[in-house]
Amino acid sequence: MPQRAWLPTIGAETGGSTGVPIALRRSWSSVVFEQAVLDHLIERHGGVDWRSARTAVLRGDTIKDPSDMTPPFWQHQHGGSYLALSSNHLHAATVADYIEALKEFRPDILWAYPSSLEALYRLAGSTSLVIPGLKIVVSSSEVLTPELHSEAARAFKVPVLDYYGQAERVCLSYSIDGKSHYFVPVYGRVELRHSYDDEMYGLHEIIGTSYWNAAQPLVRYATGDLVRIPKDEGEAGIEEVALGIRPHAGISGRQSDYLVSPEGGHLIGINHIPRGVPDVAQMQVLQPSRFHVKIHVVPLATYSEQTERLIMKKARQKIPASMKIDIVVVDRLQRTARGKAPLVVRTCGQ
């Protein structure tokens, strides 16, 4: 029988993207090792010691009432070394305030949800985003596509470190170029189970086993997250990806990122709809019923009817004619209680 640890454990929960959040316990060794891995990656790629860095955070912090649109939309914390900014208030009318606050704060690190990072640099325009003192952008907790990774690196003119993990802390991978992602083998055991193929890749579900959390060990935990691996990789190549020897092409999203057809089938590949669409800052697909889909679009100034026709054309490649599609222009995306902006928001059940 395992010996009970004298140190207290730390409570946590999942984001609830599969329905109901799952309560978790983390041991101190798990928390310390997680931070050690991130400290190592940030120092290696950004030359920054996170323990003493000035850090700006654009994630899920609750700063004020979402309906209060008067600045400030941020708070100084931890003795002034930490600037927590609200994702819920970021849109075209407020982005200039955010840029000014970041320039005044002069962070070493900007740590953001990918959806918030995308809104920041696309709404502001790349000419406004050289932030004094900034050494690295850190992205996590949502999918950062290779295209968005490249755009962010060009806009901020610093390295962009994107890492993948989960509240369950069963495995971790990272990328510094947006294309080659490596699992960290000492973090947890990774197994990859084939789910389906798209045009270029095999999509494999990540099955993880934690090494460090004695408070709540998880063995062969099915994360529901899908990793992209070239189709021509054999079993040996897939095993090398799981061991962190060979890179994978990034996280494609969750198995739950689908729409439900009127017949009850699952319509996958919804993340292909925003690809290659110009004049749009962000996009989100909502399904209130099996017969109705709404595509919410945060437009740029150059948005036009031609852009809208392209969105509809790409949507119809994935969504049958039996389902009505409305394209709705909005000033910001819908976010969860944790501040995340999922690509697919389905309220019509499974």
Side-chain angles (χ1 to χ4, degrees):
M1 178 178 294
Q3 294 292 319
R4 175 171 177 165
W6 289 104
L7 289 173
T9 61
I10 298 171
E13 63 180 24
T14 65
S17 56
T18 56
V20 179
I22 300 171
L24 303 168
R25 301 302 302 178
R26 296 177 188 154
S27 64
W28 276 101
S29 61
S30 171
V31 173
V32 169
F33 189 77
E34 164 89 5
Q35 191 60 52
V37 170
L38 297 180
D39 287 348
H40 168 71
L41 291 174
I42 288 172
E43 186 168 9
R44 176 182 175 187
H45 296 288
V48 184
D49 184 343
W50 203 346
R51 294 170 297 180
S52 58
R54 293 175 64 80
T55 304
V57 181
L58 184 57
R59 289 170 54 86
D61 295 270
T62 300
I63 304 301
K64 62 197 305 184
D65 188 323
S67 61
D68 182 355
M69 298 309 298
T70 57
F73 310 111
W74 48 83
Q75 292 176 348
H76 292 269
Q77 300 174 359
H78 302 297
S81 65
Y82 189 101
L83 181 69
L85 302 107
S86 170
S87 291
N88 287 323
H89 294 83
L90 177 59
H91 58 85
T94 63
V95 67
D97 295 315
Y98 282 74
I99 298 301
E100 186 61 31
L102 286 167
K103 289 182 175 179
E104 182 177 337
F105 181 66
R106 299 176 64 92
D108 301 297
I109 300 168
L110 172 59
W111 186 21
Y113 284 154
S115 59
S116 302
L117 186 67
E118 178 186 25
L120 182 67
Y121 71 75
R122 285 194 171 175
L123 293 173
S126 59
T127 56
S128 305
L129 286 176
V130 177
I131 298 172
L134 186 64
K135 298 178 180 66
I136 191 169
V137 171
V138 180
S139 162
S140 65
S141 304
E142 297 172 344
V143 174
L144 182 69
T145 66
E147 296 80 12
L148 297 181
H149 190 287
S150 296
E151 288 181 18
R154 287 195 300 269
F156 291 97
K157 296 180 172 54
V158 298
V160 176
L161 172 67
D162 179 48
Y163 76 89
Y164 158 78
Q166 332 74 27
E168 297 87 345
R169 302 293 197 261
V170 294
C171 63
L172 182 144
S173 74
Y174 73 95
S175 175
I176 196 65
D177 65 1
K179 300 175 183 177
S180 299
H181 300 249
Y182 289 89
F183 284 109
V184 178
V186 296
Y187 191 98
R189 166 64 177 165
V190 175
E191 299 171 69
L192 299 172
R193 181 168 60 196
H194 182 263
S195 182
Y196 66 90
D197 292 339
D198 67 10
E199 294 92 335
M200 295 179 59
Y201 298 100
L203 281 295
H204 300 256
E205 184 180 9
I206 300 169
I207 313 297
T209 298
S210 60
Y211 286 161
W212 298 91
N213 189 9
Q216 189 176 14
L218 295 173
V219 178
R220 306 196 72 237
Y221 180 83
T223 65
D225 295 324
L226 301 173
V227 65
R228 301 193 306 273
I229 300 176
K231 292 180 182 180
D232 58 0
E233 293 281 11
E235 289 187 14
I238 293 172
E239 181 63 20
E240 288 184 356
V241 170
L243 291 170
I245 298 171
R246 184 178 299 203
H248 60 83
I251 306 299
S252 183
R254 295 190 58 84
Q255 287 186 324
S256 57
D257 286 345
Y258 59 82
L259 301 178
V260 181
S261 72
E263 297 75 29
H266 291 182
L267 305 175
I268 61 175
I270 305 304
N271 60 332
H272 293 190
I273 296 173
R275 294 180 185 174
V277 177
D279 311 320
V280 169
Q282 292 179 289
M283 195 182 303
Q284 189 174 53
V285 182
L286 297 87
Q287 186 177 17
S289 80
R290 292 193 176 187
F291 296 89
H292 189 197
V293 170
K294 297 179 181 180
I295 300 178
H296 282 194
V297 175
V298 179
L300 296 176
T302 50
Y303 183 83
S304 66
E305 291 183 4
Q306 183 177 354
T307 312
E308 203 160 285
R309 286 194 295 269
L310 176 60
I311 296 171
M312 184 64 75
K313 178 182 177 180
K314 290 174 69 66
R316 279 301 178 203
Q317 293 173 354
K318 301 295 180 183
I319 302 171
S322 57
M323 301 173 71
K324 179 185 178 184
I325 300 176
D326 288 325
I327 299 175
V328 183
V329 173
V330 297
D331 62 3
R332 55 193 137 160
L333 303 184
Q334 289 190 14
R335 294 187 177 272
T336 67
R338 292 177 177 268
K340 295 184 180 181
L343 171 64
V344 177
V345 178
R346 205 174 54 250
T347 55
C348 64
Q350 301 300 313

